[in-house]
Amino acid sequence: TEPTTTTTEPTTTTTPNVEETTVTTEEEKEKKPEIDFNTALKQVLKVALAHDGIAKGIRECCRAIDKRQAQFCVLAENTNEPKYIQLITSLCAEAKVDLVKISDNKTLGEWVGLARYDRNMKPIKIIKCSCVVVRDF
């Protein structure tokens, strides 16, 4: 009886290890496409920029939101004018447009193509952008 018990234990231990290895491999495959929110937002803005579906600046953004063309709006939190933030927030609430707040307006400007790059693709000059509306992506 004892040899049978000893034989059964290693078999049971080996089988879960094989299954665990398979699960780990599947988890690693699933981790590769996983991206954070900022990376996803950057990719959506690039695609929208390529399809000419972005409105930049307060005038274009207000027009797009009023005409109900906006899919969602991205607003920088470090904007100089508090009235600017209040206007965009209230327009988005009225039109039921999703509002995404990002911390830095320089980063937003770089993401929507308001930057100059040198030969090594390092940004030389980045123009700040406080508000962006995505119309089509």
Side-chain angles (χ1 to χ4, degrees), residues 3 5 8 11 15 21 37 65 67 72-73 90-91 93 97 100 104 108 119 127:
T5 309
T8 308
T11 308
T15 307
T21 307
F37 181 75
I65 294 170
K67 290 181 179 180
F72 65 93
C73 179
S90 61
L91 280 174
V97 175
V100 178
D104 190 25
L108 186 60
R119 292 181 185 180
I127 299 173

Side-chain angles (χ1 to χ4, degrees), residues 71-131:
Q71 299 288 328
F72 65 93
C73 179
V74 184
L75 181 66
E77 291 179 343
N78 65 343
T79 309
N80 297 337
E81 280 291 321
K83 290 182 181 180
Y84 191 104
I85 295 172
Q86 186 180 9
L87 173 67
I88 296 297
T89 307
S90 61
L91 280 174
C92 288
E94 179 188 333
K96 297 179 183 171
V97 175
D98 294 330
L99 181 65
V100 178
K101 291 190 177 180
I102 194 168
S103 61
D104 190 25
N105 54 6
K106 254 189 171 178
T107 311
L108 186 60
E110 185 178 356
W111 288 355
V112 295
L114 297 175
R116 286 183 154 181
Y117 295 95
D118 63 358
R119 292 181 185 180
N120 298 328
M121 292 307 292
K122 292 183 181 177
I124 298 172
K125 183 178 181 180
I126 301 172
I127 299 173
K128 298 175 185 177
C129 183
S130 295
C131 184

Side-chain angles (χ1 to χ4, degrees), residues 7-72:
T7 309
T8 308
E9 290 176 9
T11 308
T12 309
T13 308
T14 307
T15 307
N17 287 341
V18 172
E19 292 175 5
E20 288 176 10
T21 307
T22 308
V23 171
T24 306
T25 308
E26 290 176 8
E27 288 176 1
E28 289 175 1
K29 289 179 182 177
E30 292 175 4
K31 287 182 182 177
K32 289 181 183 177
E34 185 177 318
I35 55 175
D36 64 334
F37 181 75
N38 287 336
T39 309
L41 181 62
K42 183 178 178 180
Q43 289 177 355
V44 168
L45 290 175
K46 277 187 179 182
V47 171
L49 184 65
H51 293 288
D52 197 31
I54 286 187
K56 300 174 262 189
I58 191 158
R59 186 179 180 106
E60 289 181 23
C61 289
C62 288
R63 258 192 213 152
I65 294 170
D66 281 339
K67 290 181 179 180
R68 307 293 196 255
Q69 296 175 343
Q71 299 288 328
F72 65 93

